[in-house]
């Protein structure tokens, strides 16, 4: 694994920005459209394929009940053109923990998979995403 | 992403075999020892580094209360020497859903990350791992 990659941390931050601003177009752009993408929303089954994942985002982001979300404690793990970011997701209802997998396509990190589930507990951490790991 | 890779599905099955037989040595061998590995057990915070992840496995596998586990509906997503498997984990207490990330090292798929969390519900599926996706 390589040294911490600011670009993948930025890609991860873009995901949470699109989520928190409920911007389905931004969300659609940051996912890979060439790869088979997958997503496991909390309490959902796995979604496979760009169309299924984008439909889920349109439903979630278009729902006025969808939660606010803030990313904390992001750490990246990169090997070549593939990498993943682990982070906490702070919502009104509690804290989740996420695995976000990215693939570098034409120089840009694009999301290929997301899973979030309950974290151990509310966790302290700086409000901005932080790149922490050096491998 | 490439066509379904039987070897990564076999690597994923080896993980669940080590878990279900409570074999810490087999578990230690199938994780990458050269990469910075990470793990998010259900309800735990992220663990970073081989030593921290292996300590967690010794604790879990050495606990007589640790659950039995069965992998179902495994699907793999591979790009070069990096890939991941999504699958359901059937336990006595319910069904989890997992993201397992692997890296190919000297020709063998080694685990670099695991996250499991609650699945939507009990899910039907064949008892043996099945490679399903073609990308």
């Amino acid at each position: 694994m390589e040294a911490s990659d600011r670009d993948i941390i930025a890609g991860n931050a873009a995901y949470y920005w699109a989520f928190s601003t409920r911007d389905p177009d931004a969300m659609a752009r940051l996912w890979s459209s060439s790869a088979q993408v997958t997503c496991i929303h909390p309490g959902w089954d796995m979604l496979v394929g760009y169309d299924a994942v984008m439909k889920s985002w349109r439903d979630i982001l278009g729902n006025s009940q969808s939660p606010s979300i803030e990313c904390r404690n992001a750490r990246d793990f990169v090997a070549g053109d593939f990498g993943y970011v682990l982070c906490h997701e702070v919502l009104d209802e509690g804290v989740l923990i996420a695995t976000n997998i990215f693939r570098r396509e034409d120089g840009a990190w694009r999301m290929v998979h997301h899973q979030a589930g309950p974290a151990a507990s509310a966790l302290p951490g700086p409000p901005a995403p932080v790149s922490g790991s050096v491998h």
Side-chain angles (χ1 to χ4, degrees), chain A:
Chain A
M1 311 302 265
E2 298 166 2
S4 184
D5 185 308
R6 288 182 181 276
D7 290 341
I8 197 172
I9 290 291
N12 191 66
Y15 166 77
Y16 288 101
W17 180 254
F19 196 149
S20 62
T21 59
R22 298 185 189 182
D23 184 338
D25 294 334
M27 184 62 80
R29 282 194 301 273
L30 61 85
W31 283 77
S32 169
S33 58
S34 62
Q36 178 81 294
V37 300
T38 51
C39 191
I40 303 170
H41 298 293
W44 294 40
D45 196 13
M46 61 180 85
L47 300 173
V48 179
Y50 188 84
D51 290 347
V53 173
M54 287 311 117
K55 180 183 184 309
S56 76
W57 282 116
R58 286 193 303 274
D59 291 346
I60 291 169
L61 300 178
N63 182 347
S64 63
Q65 301 299 311
S66 64
S68 68
I69 191 166
E70 187 183 303
C71 170
R72 292 195 191 177
N73 307 315
R75 298 189 65 170
D76 65 294
F77 304 86
V78 170
D81 289 333
F82 211 95
Y84 64 97
V85 177
L86 307 183
C87 59
H88 297 118
E89 300 181 345
V90 181
L91 299 96
D92 296 339
E93 299 78 7
V95 180
L96 300 177
I97 189 163
T99 297
N100 298 322
I101 307 180
F102 294 82
R103 180 180 170 184
R104 190 151 38 195
E105 297 174 350
D106 298 328
W109 287 105
R110 302 294 184 195
M111 208 157 188
V112 296
H113 176 68
H114 165 77
Q115 177 172 7
S121 60
L123 294 152
V130 168
S131 169
S133 68
V134 176
H135 328 268

